[in-house]
Structure formats: structure tokens, C-alpha cells
Amino acid sequence: MRFRRNIGYGVLCLSLACSFSAYAADYDLVIKNGRVIDPETMLDAVLNVGIKDGMIVKITPDDIKGSKTIDASKHVVAPGFIDTHFHALDGLSLKLAALDGVTTGMDLEAGAIHVAKWYAEKDKGWPLNYGTGVSQEMTRMRVHDTEIDTSKPNDATTVFELRGKSMQDGTPGWSVSRSSKEQLNQILEYLDEEFRQGALGLSSTVGYMTQGVTTYEMFKSQEAAARYGRFTGAHVRFHGNPSNPEGPLGFSEIFANAIALDAPLNLNHNNEYGWWENEEKLQAAREQGYNVWSEYYPYTAASTAISAEFFHPDKFKVLSGGLPYEEVIFDPVQNKFLTQAEWEKTSKEHPDRSIFAFNRKRDEWLPFWLRMPHMIVASDAMWSGKGIDSWDLNPTEYVGHPRTAGTRGKVLSKARELGVPLMFTIAQMSYWPAKHLGDTGLESMKMRGRLQEGKVADITIFDPLTVKDNATYTMGEQGLPTSGIPYVIVSGVPVVNKGVFDLSVKPGKSIRFPVEAKGKFKPVTVESWSEQHVIRPISIDDGGLAKP
């Protein structure tokens, strides 16, 4: 019953012929004989699905026909998988994600700057649905690293390059420089304009900026998002620190801010020490009506830039729990674990290189995550580095974390092995991400993550008995596609057809808030703070204490 309460219920017409009447000739696509699963309504039955103009218009046990037909016998027909931690923004990596069942990929951790232009580029044609938050990190670069050209849209495909350029003057200002009042106001004004232009939320990598971002700047940045009802997604301070209290403190910071602001919050990759404490707090907050959630991916190793500050010797000992470099840091380019001397050499020569950092405790924790309500699956999928037009490259050419190609396949196969209900797993991959984002007021997410009449036809079809990941950490195998997912449909159009990614179609839609006419920026000044938070002096005319 606890699972049912957390999942939620929709109104399910028993006849499955609610308000959409359509003739057979009207269907563009029919999916027949599949096991249709919808976590919101708890529907789980063998049915036929009729699709027209990108929408699900009929779910019925009756025989229906359309211009095209997919026989989904012995397969699950599920709401398309939604990834909210998605850096796979080039051709090859996005193709691998699509083959893994993703219909919507949004970068709500690294984010982007100049989001209006970012969306305009994707609006020209993109295979999957797309969206972004505004990058706190790159916004700070605009203020603290003015020697870098940040006039164009930048996102996760360029952030490592920008980090490298910020080191040229010896000071990565975005990471280590604290903001003056004037600089803080400039940052907040930039953020406000991005929210006005429709950015989905504040995308914070504060875990890479622990020295530079003060707690007050973090609070005011979350407040800037909250003015628009937008959520904060954060890679928190001290992420990966395996000690108490340091481990959970980064989460406690953004959590306290979210509760104080009554603002939505997504804890990015809650897969390190202290995750159980974070989940307990999130569950308690949801019971009180707060829109807060977290995410995980099912891999032992993380992936990030080799030059990240927490790999430096003065911090690495704590991060690794005393383990040496050669048991933690794996370089996929050299295809080996690195000693401290090798790490120092490689990080200086290639500061923007992505490496793996292993934490064996994750193998013990994964069975809990697979059963954790409202803990969504989000891959942290990485780009290939092969360029935006790398669509037709062979998957063996992908160099990076296997989570890009295998996250959903790995979750489904591991959940099957452990006996986790399929309804629950699909909720983690489809329904809960859509619900939480929809609850922020994002209309396009209210139409996705469900398999119901009247919803967008974003659908993933997979074999529940054979679906599995194939990607590994070994060179040449890091991009091997998931098997057992023959069809991935975006707005009624198959982007994966019989297990093959279709380069000729680009049905992806923009996931974005409407552009607002006026911004909501409020500068931080001593006077405004005092007027808002300090009691006015008592006067005879007041007759007592009075707030302004």
C-alpha cells in the first residue's frame, strides 16, 4: 500500500474508451498485443494502442488498425523514459541513449547559458525531446572569468573546455573566487534573465565550487529560481565525501534553502555516503507537501573531469576513504588505473579529460535504490567528444562512461534479478520525473511519463525477460547499446525501429517554460534587506512594534 500511495492514482475508465472516439483509418500508428503499463493509473494489461498526430488517442482490448503497425507481443509498452541528468548532447551519445529507451533528455545539472539561443538551435530538429536549466557554474564564469568568451550558448559539451580556459590565468574564478555584492547581483541578474527566457530550473554544480560559492550566494541563487516557481537541481558540496558530518552537509544546505523558500528541489545523483539520511529527509518533506526528490544511476564508478578539485592530494585522501589513487581513478583513454604521479601528469596535460572514480560501496547500496520511492533513474549520460554530427559513428567508437549507453538496460535487468515490481521500475524511469517536473507547472511534463489516452505518444517498448545493458568500462565496449528495446517512439514517430536508430527523423519537442514579458530580478542591497527583515524603530505614532 505504501507503494500505491506514493505512486498516486489517476481516473481509469474501465472500458478504456473514455473520451476519444476514433475510426481505425484515423490511426497513424497502432501498437498491438503489448503489455501496457502506466504507473499513474496502475494499469497493467495486454491491450492495443492507437496513435494519431503524436498523441495516444485509444487504448483498448478491441482490434484496431492504422497506417503502420507494431506487434508488441511479449513486450512491455511503457511511457517513454525521461532522463533529467543528460549531458549526451552530441550525435553518437544521444543515439546510444535513444537505444537505451530514452525519449526525453534534459540537462538539469550542468545546464546551459544563453538558453534562448540554446533552444533555438535544438528547435531546428532534434531526435529526442530536449530541455535545459541555467548553469550556475557557467553564469559565474561570465562574471569571474571575463577573459573567456561566454557570449555564445554553452552547455555540457563545452563546459570542460571552458574550465580548461579558466586556468590559463592561473585562477579558475568560477570555482574559487567569492563574489562581491556587485558580482553577486550581476550573477543573479543573469540567472533571472535565463529564467525569464524559459530555463527549467537552476542547474548547480556547487560541488565543484565549494571555495567560491558562499552559502549566501547559494541561497540567493535558489531564491532567484523560486521566484519563478522553478526547481534547483544540485551536485552538492562534499559529494562523495565518505565521512560524517561532511557527507550529508552539502545536501542539508540546499534542502534547508528549498524548504525555507517552499521551492522544488532535485538532489542530483544521490549515490554516495549519507544517501540514506538524505532520502529520509526527502520522504519526510514530501509527506508535508514539498515537491522534492532525488536521482541515482546504477554504476559503481562516477565520471568527471580529471582536474576536478576533489582529486587534488589534499582532498583526495578524505574522498577515497584512505584508498590510493590506483584503486580509485581509471583513465579510459589510457585504459588503466592511475597512480598519483600519473594523475598529476595527466591532469596537467589534459585537464578536460573525463575519468572514472570508483566507489565499491555502491554495489551494496544499489538494491536499496532500486526500491526507493521517488528516487528517479537519471544517467548523468556523457557526450562522446566526437562532435554534434557524429550520428552515424559506430558505438565502439564511444569513449566515456558506460552509463550513457546502458543505464536503463542495467536498471531493468538488475530489478528483474532482484524481483522489483516492473511497475515500480517504470515509475522511477518515466512517471516520477514527469510528475515532479509537472508539479512545478511545466505543462509539457504533465503530458508525458504516462501511457494514457490524451497524453503525448512518447513510448518505449521492451522485452522484460531479455532487456539488459552491454556497455562496460573497457575501451571499445563503453558504448555497446542495450539489447531488448526494439522500439522507441517520440511524439508518435519511431526514432528506434526494430532496434535501429533512425537518422532520418527528428520529432523531438522543446521542454521549456513560456518566455515571460518581465523579469523578477531584485538586487541585494543593505537597504532592501533591512527594509524586508528588520523591525522599524518604535515611534509614539506606531503605538508599538510595526514591520515595514
Side-chain angles (χ1 to χ4, degrees):
M1 290 303 295
R2 180 175 178 79
F3 167 62
R4 285 180 174 267
R5 187 181 71 234
N6 280 310
I7 278 283
Y9 290 95
V11 177
L12 177 62
C13 295
L14 297 180
S15 67
L16 296 172
C18 304
S19 58
F20 289 87
S21 60
Y23 296 100
D26 289 336
Y27 301 123
D28 301 323
L29 175 66
V30 166
I31 303 170
K32 300 186 70 172
N33 306 317
R35 179 184 171 189
V36 176
I37 294 182
D38 177 56
E40 185 172 59
T41 61
M42 302 297 288
L43 171 65
D44 186 348
V46 175
L47 297 162
N48 301 317
V49 180
I51 297 167
K52 182 174 176 60
D53 296 331
M55 305 294 291
I56 299 170
V57 297
K58 178 73 78 174
I59 302 176
T60 177
D62 298 333
D63 185 38
I64 55 176
K65 296 180 180 179
S67 300
K68 297 180 180 179
T69 300
I70 292 173
D71 183 1
S73 298
K74 299 182 180 180
H75 284 66
V76 169
V77 180
F81 302 155
I82 297 168
D83 198 330
T84 59
H85 194 148
F86 192 79
H87 311 311
L89 299 173
D90 64 281
L92 177 55
S93 61
L94 185 135
K95 174 173 67 174
L96 298 177
L99 292 167
D100 196 36
V102 175
T103 57
T104 300
M106 299 175 285
D107 191 344
L108 306 183
E109 186 227 26
I113 52 174
H114 306 294
V115 298
K117 294 179 180 178
W118 185 92
Y119 275 107
E121 283 298 312
K122 297 290 184 294
D123 290 344
K124 295 175 183 177
W126 202 244
L128 306 184
N129 302 318
Y130 50 93
T132 188
V134 53
S135 170
Q136 183 186 30
E137 174 179 327
M138 287 182 276
T139 300
R140 295 192 92 244
M141 286 181 183
R142 296 177 69 182
V143 174
H144 288 289
D145 296 288
T146 54
E147 74 278 8
I148 302 175
D149 181 6
T150 54
S151 61
K152 298 178 182 178
N154 281 278
D155 57 22
T157 63
T158 55
V159 67
F160 282 10
E161 178 184 351
L162 293 179
R163 288 178 183 177
K165 289 180 178 179
S166 75
M167 294 289 292
Q168 292 176 2
D169 65 354
T171 303
W174 64 274
S175 176
V176 303
S177 297
R178 295 197 169 192
S179 301
S180 66
K181 183 176 65 176
E182 291 72 25
Q183 289 171 325
L184 173 59
N185 279 324
Q186 184 64 78
I187 290 168
L188 296 177
E189 189 169 10
Y190 282 149
L191 292 177
D192 182 85
E193 175 60 14
E194 304 279 29
F195 294 131
R196 188 187 74 80
Q197 292 285 353
L200 297 177
L202 175 68
S203 297
S204 173
T205 49
V206 65
Y208 296 90
M209 306 181 286
T210 55
Q211 184 176 337
V213 176
T214 64
T215 55
Y216 192 63
E217 180 175 335
M218 191 68 226
F219 173 67
K220 300 307 284 186
S221 298
Q222 287 183 245
E223 182 184 57
R227 288 195 182 107
Y228 289 82
R230 311 289 163 81
F231 79 101
T232 292
H235 175 131
V236 300
R237 301 180 202 265
F238 318 125
H239 178 73
N241 190 320
S243 62
N244 192 304
E246 285 85 356
L249 275 180
F251 165 71
S252 295
E253 174 191 12
I254 62 164
F255 180 68
N257 291 344
I259 298 302
L261 295 164
D262 192 15
L265 174 66
N266 176 27
L267 174 58
N268 295 150
H269 40 57
N270 187 28
N271 49 7
E272 299 287 3
Y273 178 87
W275 65 267
W276 52 88
E277 179 180 340
N278 300 339
E279 287 301 318
E280 187 172 342
K281 292 176 181 177
L282 289 167
Q283 289 187 17
R286 284 196 298 271
E287 291 288 337
Q288 299 174 61
Y290 292 99
N291 185 15
V292 294
W293 68 101
S294 70
E295 62 182 48
Y296 75 95
Y297 57 77
Y299 287 90
T300 308
S303 180
T304 190
I306 192 171
S307 57
E309 64 174 89
F310 37 75
F311 292 143
H312 288 253
D314 59 334
K315 296 182 180 180
F316 181 78
K317 186 175 182 180
V318 175
L319 172 73
S320 68
L323 294 174
Y325 281 76
E326 56 266 29
E327 291 187 27
V328 177
I329 296 181
F330 182 85
D331 181 359
V333 176
Q334 300 181 67
N335 203 29
K336 68 175 184 177
F337 284 89
L338 304 182
T339 64
Q340 180 174 339
E342 290 171 329
W343 170 82
E344 291 176 351
K345 180 177 184 295
T346 306
S347 64
K348 288 179 181 178
E349 294 175 351
H350 306 282
D352 59 346
R353 179 174 295 177
S354 293
I355 52 84
F356 303 142
F358 280 79
N359 179 356
R360 303 296 176 182
K361 295 291 291 185
R362 290 182 178 181
D363 293 332
E364 300 176 23
W365 297 334
L366 179 57
F368 293 96
W369 303 338
L370 290 164
R371 297 179 173 90
M372 192 64 59
H374 296 268
M375 198 178 193
I376 68 175
V377 176
S379 68
D380 199 359
M382 302 299 288
W383 59 99
S384 71
K386 304 294 184 180
I388 194 68
D389 295 321
S390 56
W391 306 101
D392 58 351
L393 291 183
N394 191 288
T396 58
E397 297 188 50
Y398 178 80
V399 178
H401 200 295
R403 65 194 181 205
T404 299
T407 291
R408 269 61 49 171
K410 192 174 186 70
V411 167
L412 285 164
S413 61
K414 191 66 176 179
R416 180 177 66 230
E417 174 189 327
L418 296 176
V420 179
L422 191 52
M423 182 77 72
F424 189 92
T425 303
I426 293 173
Q428 285 192 323
M429 295 194 291
S430 300
Y431 174 57
W432 280 326
K435 173 175 170 48
H436 285 294
L437 289 174
D439 286 349
T440 70
L442 189 58
E443 294 299 325
S444 56
M445 282 292 102
K446 296 178 183 179
M447 299 296 290
R448 293 175 167 84
R450 290 96 166 160
L451 219 153
Q452 302 168 20
E453 293 178 351
K455 302 298 183 182
V456 174
D458 288 348
I459 298 171
T460 299
I461 301 175
F462 63 91
D463 184 337
L465 300 181
T466 66
V467 62
K468 65 180 293 291
D469 62 306
N470 297 298
T472 74
Y473 296 106
T474 301
M475 288 286 287
E477 298 180 357
Q478 293 163 355
L480 294 183
T482 289
S483 54
I485 304 181
Y487 296 96
V488 178
I489 298 165
V490 177
S491 291
V493 178
V495 296
V496 173
N497 195 338
K498 297 181 180 179
V500 178
F501 180 75
D502 189 344
L503 287 169
S504 68
V505 297
K506 295 183 178 180
K509 299 294 189 295
S510 171
I511 309 298
R512 180 182 183 181
F513 280 99
V515 177
E516 300 195 17
K518 294 182 179 180
K520 301 179 181 181
F521 168 65
K522 295 181 181 179
V524 176
T525 67
V526 174
E527 293 76 18
S528 64
W529 192 95
S530 179
E531 288 176 1
Q532 184 175 359
H533 300 291
V534 178
I535 300 297
R536 282 208 317 260
I538 299 173
S539 69
I540 295 175
D541 292 337
D542 285 334
L545 294 176
K547 266 200 167 184

